[in-house]
Amino acid sequence: MNAPLLSARGVTRRFGGRIACREVSFDLWPGEVLGIVGESGSGKTTLLNCLAGRLAPDEGTITYDSAAAGTVDVHALSEARRRLLARTEWGFVNQDAREGLRMGVSAGANIGERLMAIGARHYGSIRQTASDWLARVEIDLDRLDDRPTTYSGGMRQRLQIARNLVSEPRLVFMDEPTGGLDVSVQARLLDLLRGLVDRFHLSAVLVTHDLGVARLLTHRLMVMQGGRVVEHGLTDQVLDDPQHAYTQMLVASILPV
Amino acid sequence: MPDSQHDGSAYNYAYLDEQTKRMIRRAILKAVAVPGYQVPFGGREMPLPYGWGTGGIQVTAAIIGRDDTLKVIDQGADDTTNAVSIRRFFARVAEVATTTRTAEATVIQTRHRVPETPLKDGQILVFQVPIPEPLRMLEPRETETRTLHALSEYGVMQVSLYESIARHGRIAKTYNYPVLVNGRYMMSPSPIPKFDNPKLDRNPALQLYGAGREKRIYAVPPYTPVKSLDFDDHPFEIERWSECCALCGSRESFLDEMIVDDAGKRLFVCSDTDYCRERRGEPVQ
Amino acid sequence: MTTMLPVLRVSALNKSFVVHAQGGLALPVLRDVALSVAPGECLALVGPSGAGKSTLLRSLYGNYRPQSGSIQVRHHDRWVELVGAEPRITLDVRRRTMGFVSQFLRVIPRVGALDVVAEPMVRLGASPEDARRRAGLLLGLLGIPERLWPLPPATFSGGEQQRVNIARSLIADYPILLLDEPTASLDTANRDRVVELVRRRREAGAAIVGIFHDVAVRDAVATRLHDVALPGAQP
């Protein structure tokens, strides 16, 4: 815990004349789960894509403490190295599982892809690893050879998580991972994610508009409004003692159960 | 030597104009320099439809000279309509000798086979290619397949083989079986049977591949390593037959299955007609 | 009794809530709070309702963010300042040094009571087996029947949830314990069990700060009282 895993400094991204995110700076330390909350259009997904190397910021830098190569400037890397990083040390869980999965091949092939991409060439052991991960995300083993098109929404999302975690990444980016799922399905996914984060000592950046999800999964929160981070702190501090007007409004908008 | 004023024809030598041939030769040189890499070229309209070998013909036209001896095969046979027409075409527009004998040819244009007779230094094998992009069925976006090649990201191809084993218990792909050229580029060997894949590896002949519809040329220079993808526990294997060729008795060649009477009687014969004829000691017809 | 050096010390602590929906109305709650607690002590916060006892306790835990002042905690043999601390510092203090028993359990869907209790100990590096054994021991001491252990506490009664919460906060042997009405929804028998456990932790050297409305409980565990005055009232 001597150095941050991921650091953002002054990250700004414009689309035409509109500023999607503005001068965002933070450090993510190993083992931390950082939530980014805010309503649609607040710039949280743009920021996530910048952090994950998918979208170049107009200003600012993002550095990552890589296991393979020490501290690297994510956007100064060659595309080849950035993509290598993305499929070995990182994961990315999309809100829409169809974007994160290969819908035309089996669950086993989906999980095995990262392994094969980094050189695994033993069918039997790839299949075994895929089975282990299927069990970890609570999918019946007899679904290993089925395509995700035959899976329910919750199962697809769990499969997407397995596909990402199989290479044992150190950092996972998640964009509304529980969005669009039924509440009971959400609960199962949240619990699963929580367990995996603990078990594999994952660090994560999670974008969500659901403060309940943020409460359950994250250690820290950044609240974004109009592209700016308006508040930042421990998750329970931000939710129990919100300081900024916008955060107070967000917290006050949660329906009591 | 400029061939533009050769006698007795309204066409330029070897059909294509000199500028086009130079452009294609430049593409070929680049393809040879970067084995397995697909080089775009300004493909021309040819006097036959796509799918009939327009890519192969343009490559042959760009490299052929009066001293060459041309052989053309289609699925191994010298006497199919397509092979005969292309052979006649070049005999007329390029004034070259033609042959059916693999050993005598300097340029062999082929569709879907590699001759059984081992090739030698100095020979050139020109493949007709329908779909040059080996990743196309897995990744429809051209921008993305280019990136995958540029970065040597070929996990997705291995995924397709995994899927085949998961579904069929073995790698079920029997033709157009993907290969890695010189440890760098993933390449479609064109729809040859996987039986022919080992012949591509370190072959003394120059292999040129032309795709007319998609306007791509790629090459495997002589003696270049060509590896067929596989898994450690599902190694690459070629087809085997329990029968031998009904005509020449070969057990080493690629056999076609033929049904010879109404009772469904089957015979297996060599797909390579020249090889079979040679083994039987028959003269060239 | 030998005087121990304090492990928690607070000085000049100020906390007010600014409500933006009310045009930036500022509600001062804590003003110039100072206290210190040593190992083996149990400081009971007393004062009228609304005086800010709960706010003070939550500020000590880093849950509320004071505007000024100092909260220092002995952590890894060093003093750590919690006011304005980086999140990871506060998290590490919570993980290793300071436990908190609130009146309400934050329920995690689908996780059974035994694992809810065991979790803080696992996070400190104990094996899941050891942590579950200890969790079972604590739940037993607090009178939670074994048949409930595998079930998620969401379906438990208020008193049962409260005891699960207490077990979760006691499992890791934190040197500092913060208790917010730990016996609020318990019957007499269970109240006595909690009192006994807290007293044992105190005697084992924990420094405790708590809010106990039940005077009998307060008398049973507290070694000192600390008056939290209404803001504006003169001390």
Side-chain angles (χ1 to χ4, degrees):
Chain A
M1 239 175 96
N2 298 320
L5 194 60
L6 189 75
S7 293
R9 290 292 175 273
V11 172
T12 299
R13 170 72 200 203
R14 297 182 193 87
F15 291 108
R18 200 175 65 80
I19 298 187
C21 76
R22 193 189 297 248
E23 289 166 31
V24 177
S25 299
F26 69 89
D27 290 325
L28 180 77
W29 293 80
E32 280 185 338
V33 179
L34 170 70
I36 304 175
V37 297
E39 59 203 21
S40 306
S42 58
K44 51 194 199 300
T45 295
T46 298
L47 175 61
L48 188 76
N49 285 328
C50 286
L51 297 174
R54 297 180 159 201
L55 188 66
D58 294 316
E59 287 156 39
T61 55
I62 294 148
T63 54
Y64 168 71
D65 185 22
S66 143
T71 304
V72 294
D73 178 339
V74 170
H75 289 278
L77 289 175
S78 67
E79 191 181 2
R81 286 191 57 201
R82 190 161 54 239
R83 285 173 72 126
L84 181 68
L85 198 64
R87 66 172 185 263
T88 53
E89 297 191 30
W90 291 358
F92 197 106
V93 177
N94 289 281
Q95 172 174 7
D96 184 349
R98 284 171 301 185
E99 284 174 26
L101 293 171
R102 280 189 197 282
M103 299 301 283
V105 299
S106 66
N110 266 288
I111 300 176
E113 179 166 349
R114 274 181 170 230
L115 300 173
M116 291 182 258
I118 55 180
R121 289 294 178 268
H122 193 281
Y123 174 82
S125 57
I126 292 166
R127 194 173 170 78
Q128 185 56 51
T129 308
S131 307
D132 294 346
W133 272 97
L134 211 61
R136 256 175 220 149
V137 298
E138 302 172 13
I139 297 174
D140 284 341
L141 281 187
D142 59 11
R143 304 300 304 271
L144 183 65
D145 293 331
D146 293 346
R147 293 183 182 173
T149 43
T150 67
Y151 278 24
S152 69
M155 284 167 71
R156 284 182 191 175
Q157 205 56 296
R158 280 180 275 139
L159 178 61
Q160 194 191 179
I161 288 163
R163 173 177 158 91
N164 272 280
L165 296 192
V166 68
S167 64
E168 302 197 2
R170 308 161 76 209
L171 175 59
V172 181
F173 300 97
M174 294 186 257
D175 189 5
E176 302 274 13
T178 60
L181 299 176
D182 289 346
V183 176
S184 63
V185 177
Q186 268 196 28
R188 183 173 185 185
L189 188 69
L190 286 174
D191 173 37
L192 181 80
L193 272 173
R194 207 170 161 275
L196 291 171
V197 162
D198 259 8
R199 173 161 176 195
F200 294 96
H201 196 64
L202 287 176
S203 306
V205 181
L206 170 97
V207 159
T208 181
H209 66 272
D210 185 331
L211 297 184
V213 169
R215 166 88 78 179
L216 213 54
L217 280 183
T218 68
H219 300 119
R220 289 162 56 193
L221 275 189
M222 292 199 316
V223 182
M224 289 188 75
Q225 183 196 23
R228 284 183 191 282
V229 174
V230 296
E231 187 159 355
H232 187 178
L234 276 172
T235 298
D236 59 81
Q237 288 173 345
V238 173
L239 297 182
D240 295 341
D241 184 17
Q243 314 274 309
H244 191 270
Y246 178 69
T247 317
Q248 290 188 354
M249 192 272 288
L250 273 186
V251 171
S253 310
I254 304 174
L255 295 173
V257 180
Chain B
M1 178 181 68
D3 274 317
S4 45
Q5 282 94 36
H6 88 105
D7 303 323
S9 170
Y11 292 112
N12 189 39
Y13 179 76
Y15 185 75
L16 295 175
D17 64 273
E18 293 307 307
Q19 283 299 331
T20 298
K21 287 197 273 185
R22 279 173 63 183
M23 174 269 294
I24 294 175
R25 286 178 201 137
R26 258 186 241 122
I28 291 172
L29 284 174
K30 185 169 177 182
V32 168
V34 191
Y37 173 73
Q38 300 165 49
V39 182
F41 76 107
R44 297 294 185 252
E45 293 299 322
M46 298 303 286
L48 74 169
Y50 289 124
W52 288 70
T54 56
I57 289 173
Q58 289 180 78
V59 169
T60 301
I63 60 167
I64 205 159
R66 286 194 173 83
D67 298 337
D68 277 314
T69 304
L70 178 70
K71 171 183 162 78
V72 182
I73 48 173
D74 180 0
Q75 307 244 26
D78 294 89
D79 55 1
T80 62
T81 312
N82 197 217
V84 170
S85 334
I86 294 172
R87 200 161 55 229
R88 281 191 190 150
F89 174 77
F90 279 110
R92 202 156 110 197
V93 302
E95 298 162 17
V96 290
T98 61
T99 182
T100 58
R101 301 186 63 166
T102 300
E104 286 174 5
T106 55
V107 176
I108 303 169
Q109 183 172 327
T110 177
R111 173 173 176 266
H112 298 191
R113 278 306 312 274
V114 176
E116 307 286 2
T117 309
L119 300 176
K120 303 173 300 206
D121 280 331
Q123 287 183 306
I124 299 176
L125 192 57
V126 178
F127 291 81
Q128 300 170 201
V129 180
I131 299 171
E133 178 49 68
L135 304 168
R136 179 62 68 236
M137 302 311 280
L138 307 163
E139 176 51 69
R141 290 167 296 175
E142 175 71 14
T143 48
E144 182 65 11
T145 53
R146 283 195 203 185
T147 307
L148 296 177
H149 283 297
L151 305 180
S152 278
E153 280 184 25
Y154 295 132
V156 61
M157 185 59 90
Q158 208 74 29
V159 166
S160 74
L161 299 185
Y162 172 99
E163 195 66 2
S164 186
I165 302 174
R167 270 184 209 293
H168 309 288
R170 64 196 159 81
I171 300 175
K173 201 163 177 59
T174 54
Y175 65 93
N176 207 349
Y177 191 104
V179 294
L180 193 67
V181 178
N182 208 24
R184 176 59 183 86
Y185 281 99
M186 186 73 65
M187 187 186 91
S188 157
S190 83
I192 59 171
K194 66 176 180 176
F195 179 89
D196 285 343
N197 271 26
K199 297 178 196 161
L200 307 181
D201 184 34
R202 295 167 213 272
N203 195 308
L206 168 64
Q207 305 165 43
L208 300 177
Y209 295 77
R213 195 195 324 257
E214 299 201 21
K215 300 178 172 51
R216 293 284 187 279
I217 287 171
Y218 51 98
V220 178
Y223 302 105
T224 304
V226 175
K227 183 181 184 321
S228 304
L229 299 195
D230 61 2
F231 286 96
D232 297 345
D233 48 344
H234 285 267
F236 174 80
E237 282 172 349
I238 59 172
E239 299 92 329
R240 299 272 173 215
W241 290 264
S242 49
E243 293 81 1
C244 60
C245 172
L247 300 177
C248 73
S250 166
R251 292 190 173 278
E252 286 80 45
S253 56
F254 187 85
L255 301 181
D256 284 337
E257 184 179 345
M258 298 171 73
I259 296 176
V260 292
D261 63 18
D262 289 346
K265 187 179 180 234
R266 286 149 197 269
L267 274 187
F268 288 86
V269 296
C270 287
S271 136
D272 186 335
T273 52
D274 174 64
Y275 171 81
C276 195
R277 182 191 52 73
E278 289 266 340
R279 280 178 53 89
R280 282 178 278 135
E282 287 183 15
V284 178
Q285 287 161 358
Chain C
M1 185 172 124
T2 50
T3 313
M4 304 275 289
L5 292 171
V7 289
L8 174 67
R9 57 191 193 198
V10 176
S11 61
L13 195 68
N14 288 288
K15 168 70 187 164
S16 54
F17 292 98
V18 179
V19 186
H20 292 281
Q22 306 286 330
L25 175 73
L27 303 168
V29 181
L30 304 177
R31 208 170 65 187
D32 285 335
V33 173
L35 58 84
S36 75
V37 192
E41 276 195 307
C42 177
L43 187 70
L45 304 181
V46 293
S49 180
K53 301 185 294 292
S54 216
T55 299
L56 174 56
L57 207 62
R58 284 167 173 268
S59 297
L60 296 181
Y61 195 57
N63 179 219
Y64 286 175
R65 291 174 281 190
Q67 277 77 17
S68 65
S70 166
I71 299 169
Q72 292 194 318
V73 169
R74 201 73 187 153
H75 176 63
H76 289 318
D77 296 324
R78 295 217 317 264
W79 285 107
V80 170
E81 175 63 56
L82 287 187
V83 176
E86 269 189 74
R88 66 194 180 99
I89 302 296
T90 308
L91 279 179
D92 197 53
V93 167
R94 290 182 186 178
R95 195 171 290 136
R96 297 176 190 285
T97 301
M98 193 152 63
F100 187 86
V101 179
S102 66
Q103 294 176 56
F104 307 101
L105 178 64
R106 285 221 178 267
V107 178
I108 305 151
R110 293 209 315 152
V111 179
L114 193 69
D115 288 326
V116 167
V117 173
E119 191 181 76
M121 198 169 151
V122 175
R123 287 211 171 133
L124 284 173
S127 74
E129 295 74 35
D130 288 349
R132 296 174 116 227
R133 200 174 308 123
R134 178 117 201 250
L137 200 71
L138 276 166
L139 286 174
L141 281 175
L142 287 164
I144 302 285
E146 198 164 344
R147 65 184 164 78
L148 293 182
W149 296 0
L151 304 179
T155 53
F156 291 10
S157 73
E160 284 161 350
Q161 291 196 13
Q162 173 78 331
R163 281 175 281 151
V164 169
N165 207 13
I166 290 165
R168 180 177 158 90
S169 307
L170 290 180
I171 194 167
D173 283 342
Y174 299 113
I176 301 171
L177 264 182
L178 309 175
L179 310 174
D180 188 359
E181 298 279 8
T183 59
S185 41
L186 302 184
D187 59 27
T188 320
N190 283 318
R191 190 194 65 193
D192 292 345
R193 287 175 173 139
V194 172
V195 165
E196 180 54 28
L197 275 175
V198 171
R199 199 150 53 184
R200 261 197 250 165
R201 290 292 303 123
R202 192 195 73 205
E203 281 161 8
I208 300 171
V209 182
I211 303 169
F212 314 96
H213 275 163
D214 186 329
V215 178
V217 172
R218 184 200 300 163
D219 289 347
V221 298
T223 56
R224 265 199 301 140
L225 303 184
H226 179 88
D227 247 311
V228 181
L230 277 171
Q234 293 304 311

